[in-house]
Amino acid sequence: MSAKSNQDAVRASHDFLRRRGEFPAMKRTVNGHPLAYLDGPGGTQVPQSVIDAVAAYYQSGTANAHGEFVTSRDTDRIVQGARNAMAALLNAESGNNIAFGANMTSLNFSLGKAIGRYLQPGDEILITQLDHEANRGPWLNLRGNNIRIREITLKPDGRLDYEDMERKINEKTRLLAIGWASNALGTVNDIRMARALTHRVGAWLLVDAVHYVPHFSVDVQSHDVDFLLCSTYKFYGPHVGLLYARTGILDQLPTDRLRTQDQRAPYCIETGTLNFAALAGVQAAVEYIASHGIGEGLRNRVVEGMQRIRDHEHRLAERLWLGLEKIPGLKFYGPPMQDSLRTPTLSFTLEGMTPSEVCSRLGHKGFCLWGGHFYAVRPIEVLGLSHRGGLVRVGVSLYNTEEEIERLAAELRGLVAGASR
Ligand SMILES: Cc1ncc(COP(=O)(O)O)c(C=O)c1O
C-alpha cells in the first residue's frame, strides 16, 4: 500500500471504529469475551438503520403489492425503492433491471431452468472449479438436456487457469457462469477477460458477485455483464437475493411464471409474494454503505463509501496476514495479500488440527469463524483438502477492528504453542 492510501485507510478505520456502535450485535459476549464477527463471507451483521427500516414496514401497516389503498401503495414504493437503491449500488440501467428473490441460489436455479429451455442440444455452458456450488449446481442440472457442461481448471495457487478458459470457450458456448470473487479463497477473477472471450463467441456472461459486492464497488454497465447475482445479507442487509439482468434479456427467457403475474422483466422471474419488510431493509443497507461516502447522489456516495470500506478492510487483512504467516504449521491458500486484487478473506489450514477443531476452540473465546468448504466444495476438492475438513476462513468486514485482528493472531499462536507442548 502506498503512503497516501495507507493514510486514507487509517482515516477510514477511525471512522468505522467510531460508528461501530451502530451495530447492536457488537455488544454481545460469550464466556466473558466480546464477540469478534469474522464471518462476513457467511453473512454480515446488520446496523440499527436496517433493523429500523424492517420494523417500520410492519409498524406502519403491511399489505400486498399493487392494491388501491394506502398501505399497498407504501409496499409498491418500498419495492421500487429497493430496486432503485440496488440499481445505484450496481450502476444498473434502472431499478427495473433488478429482480428479487429468497436468495442467490434460488434465483440462479430459476434462471438456469429458463436458460435450459432456451438452449439447443449440443450447446455448451462453461463453469469453473473455483465457484460456490450455487453457481455450478443450476448449470450441472442441465446436463440431462444434451447440454455439455465444461469446467475451467483451478490452479494450485487459487487462481483460475485463463489459458484453459480460452481453450474451452468456442462457438458452441452459450453461457459462461463465473464467480467474481471466491468465498473460499478470496481470489478475484478477471471479469473483463471473461467478457472479451464471451463476446468473441457471442456467449452470455453470468457473474456470481455474492462475495465481490461487499468489498468493491461494481459497475455492471462498464463490465458489460448479462447477468449478475448477489445477496444483501452479505453486505449489512436482510436475507434477500437479487438478480441483475441486462435490459431486454430476461424478457426473452421462458421463466417459470403464473399467467396472473406481470410477464415483463424484472417481475417475470419473481414468483409469488416478495419479502416486503426485508426489501425495506435492502434500501437501508445501500444507504448505510452510502453513508460512508460523500458527494452528490446515491451512486457517487456508494462508490466512495465502498472505496473506504475496501481501504479499511484491506489494511486489516494485511495485518492479519502478517500476524499469521509466521505461525508454525499454518498454511495459507489463495492469492497472497500483496495482490491488491483479492478480497479481505483469508483461508488456511493448521497442522495437527482440523478446521472445525480450530473454529470450535476459537468459538469459545468469542471468535465467529467458519471451517469447512463453505459450499465452495469444488475448489476444496481440487486443492485436495476434502479429507482434511477444508479450510479455516477469516473474513474481514467494515466493523472489524485492529484489536480483534491482534487478538485472533495471539489466540492462534497460543493454540499452536499449546498443541506442541
Ligand atoms: C460466492 C457465493 N455465491 C453464492 C452464494 C449463495 O448465496 P445465497 O445464500 O444467497 O443463496 C454464496 C453464499 O455464501 C457465496 O458465498
Side-chain angles (χ1 to χ4, degrees):
M1 222 186 237
S2 72
K4 153 115 185 38
S5 52
N6 194 41
Q7 263 175 13
D8 291 346
V10 171
R11 204 169 308 124
S13 292
H14 284 309
D15 281 355
F16 291 118
L17 194 57
R18 190 173 47 78
R19 292 184 54 183
R20 201 171 125 93
E22 290 173 29
F23 289 83
M26 299 301 146
K27 293 196 198 90
R28 192 161 172 191
T29 58
V30 62
N31 304 327
H33 304 283
L35 280 196
Y37 297 96
L38 290 160
D39 185 38
T44 48
Q45 302 308 309
V46 173
Q48 189 64 48
S49 57
V50 170
I51 299 169
D52 288 345
V54 173
Y57 175 75
Y58 290 119
Q59 274 157 359
S60 64
T62 168
N64 217 322
H66 311 311
E68 299 302 336
F69 49 97
V70 63
T71 48
S72 180
R73 294 218 173 99
D74 287 348
T75 295
D76 290 340
R77 201 171 25 76
I78 280 165
V79 174
Q80 197 57 43
R83 291 194 208 283
N84 294 346
M86 278 310 306
L89 189 83
L90 302 176
N91 201 31
E93 299 92 304
S94 82
N96 284 354
N97 295 78
I98 307 291
F100 291 113
N103 47 56
M104 176 277 183
T105 307
S106 311
L107 280 167
N108 215 21
F109 266 116
S110 303
L111 187 63
K113 265 212 260 175
I115 288 182
R117 292 180 190 127
Y118 186 84
L119 297 183
Q120 302 293 319
D123 284 347
E124 295 185 2
I125 291 179
L126 205 46
I127 61 174
T128 89
Q129 288 187 336
L130 181 55
D131 271 73
H132 188 284
E133 272 309 290
N135 200 27
R136 293 171 42 85
W139 313 114
L140 289 167
N141 263 6
L142 302 180
R143 277 177 299 194
N145 307 354
N146 240 330
I147 307 295
R148 184 173 181 207
I149 312 295
R150 306 184 78 185
E151 213 187 41
I152 300 162
T153 305
L154 173 65
K155 298 195 293 182
D157 67 3
R159 294 184 173 95
L160 286 176
D161 182 340
Y162 290 96
E163 285 171 16
D164 191 48
M165 183 188 286
E166 205 159 354
R167 260 194 310 275
K168 287 182 177 152
I169 226 164
N170 64 61
E171 65 291 345
K172 291 194 213 130
T173 313
R174 293 285 164 264
L175 173 78
L176 167 56
I178 183 172
W180 202 330
S182 160
N183 67 317
L185 303 176
T187 318
V188 171
N189 294 328
D190 188 346
I191 295 304
R192 291 211 186 272
M193 164 127 183
R195 179 71 280 183
L197 291 176
T198 45
H199 264 158
R200 207 184 287 168
V201 297
W204 283 327
L205 175 65
L206 176 145
V207 178
D208 169 3
V210 172
H211 186 57
Y212 187 87
V213 172
H215 305 294
F216 297 94
S217 67
V218 168
D219 185 336
V220 284
Q221 295 186 77
S222 135
H223 280 83
D224 202 15
V225 303
D226 296 303
F227 303 101
L228 180 139
L229 297 110
C230 60
S231 285
T232 63
Y233 73 96
K234 310 284 189 180
F235 49 93
Y236 317 106
H239 289 87
V240 169
L242 64 103
L243 165 71
Y244 158 82
R246 172 208 287 288
T247 305
I249 207 166
L250 205 53
D251 299 290
Q252 298 172 38
L253 292 174
T255 51
D256 278 340
R257 60 181 89 161
L258 304 178
R259 67 187 165 128
T260 43
Q261 84 194 68
D262 196 322
Q263 305 294 298
R264 296 162 305 163
Y267 318 102
C268 58
I269 199 162
E270 292 176 339
T271 40
T273 306
L274 293 172
N275 185 340
F276 305 130
L279 293 182
V282 168
Q283 177 169 351
V286 175
E287 283 164 2
Y288 172 74
I289 289 172
S291 75
H292 292 285
I294 42 171
E296 273 294 298
L298 187 59
R299 172 68 189 164
N300 287 333
R301 283 184 286 118
V302 155
V303 170
E304 199 190 302
M306 283 310 305
Q307 182 58 44
R308 305 186 80 220
I309 292 168
R310 198 214 82 99
D311 288 348
H312 164 67
E313 292 177 341
H314 201 80
R315 194 173 77 89
L316 290 191
E318 266 177 347
R319 215 174 162 118
L320 180 64
W321 183 284
L322 293 175
L324 303 192
E325 71 177 346
K326 293 198 191 75
I327 295 181
L330 186 145
K331 181 172 178 209
F332 282 119
Y333 285 80
M337 202 55 228
Q338 303 85 285
D339 190 340
S340 67
L341 258 191
R342 78 175 329 288
T343 67
T345 298
L346 304 187
S347 296
F348 57 85
T349 52
L350 207 53
E351 215 172 86
M353 253 178 270
T354 65
S356 107
E357 277 164 358
V358 174
C359 293
S360 156
R361 304 272 292 269
L362 291 172
H364 285 107
K365 305 275 179 137
F367 291 98
C368 304
L369 296 180
W370 215 278
H373 56 61
F374 332 107
Y375 285 32
V377 67
R378 189 70 178 125
I380 297 295
E381 278 167 6
V382 171
L383 294 172
L385 292 165
S386 305
H387 68 287
R388 297 170 57 191
L391 291 163
V392 180
R393 179 181 70 181
V394 186
V396 176
S397 300
L398 63 74
Y399 42 65
N400 292 125
T401 65
E402 276 174 35
E403 187 271 329
E404 289 172 336
I405 298 299
E406 300 302 338
R407 193 151 58 91
L408 176 64
E411 286 295 344
L412 276 165
R413 279 194 296 272
L415 264 190
V416 171
S420 63
R421 245 179 251 134

